Amino acid sequence: MQPEGNSCLENLDISYDADNEVLVVNWEGEINSECIRNGYTLLMKRVQLLRPRKILLDFHNRLSIRRRDQRWVFSYVFPNILSTVGDNVFLAIVLPVELYHGLVTDINGDELMNGNDFLIIHHALYRAEAIRWLNDMEAIAARASYAGVSKGA
């Protein structure tokens, strides 16, 4: 899904990888606060439609964003994703290593929980690594769920 009519979003692509059941967000270049909010609004529309448990944010070619915008994503977008999906969500972020530290500096973790559901974040340097992690996490969650059902039966 390529956004139309908004030049600040021309480097944003949101698609669904049906083979891996992953919502993929590829965002490149420089973006401002308005663009961030508009882009994440588009993402939330896809989350509401698909309710994905696995999300890949590929930002390896995106420039860093301002700290307040990053804080907004963690305090508003991620909790909304978690409550919309209504289950554990696995989120892999592809970032250059020099941008990762700034990503997690200000989070305390409360925004990544909703009742018994968690948004679990993994930093990856490469897209293939991120997809592997997402699929591994889904397999682990499925085994844990099966074990819990088996014991309760």
Side-chain angles (χ1 to χ4, degrees), residues 102-114:
L103 176 72
V104 296
T105 306
D106 290 338
I107 64 171
N108 65 22
D110 289 343
E111 54 274 275
L112 305 178
M113 298 181 289
N114 183 27

Side-chain angles (χ1 to χ4, degrees), residues 79-99:
N80 280 336
I81 288 173
L82 189 55
S83 65
T84 298
V85 172
D87 201 344
N88 292 324
V89 175
F90 303 104
L91 184 115
I93 304 175
V94 179
L95 278 175
V97 71
E98 63 271 10
L99 295 181

Side-chain angles (χ1 to χ4, degrees), residues 26-29 57-65 70 92-104 122-127 129-130:
N26 190 50
W27 210 340
E28 300 179 352
L57 303 178
D58 190 342
F59 299 157
H60 79 276
N61 284 325
R62 190 179 85 177
L63 300 178
S64 64
I65 63 173
Q70 178 181 305
I93 304 175
V94 179
L95 278 175
V97 71
E98 63 271 10
L99 295 181
Y100 179 68
H101 178 70
L103 176 72
V104 296
H122 174 73
H123 167 246
L125 293 175
Y126 304 101
R127 184 180 219 142
E129 172 193 358

Side-chain angles (χ1 to χ4, degrees), residues 40-53:
Y40 279 109
T41 297
L42 290 173
L43 172 61
M44 283 308 302
K45 288 179 182 177
R46 292 300 294 267
V47 168
Q48 290 167 349
L49 177 69
L50 299 169
R51 300 198 190 296
R53 292 191 61 222

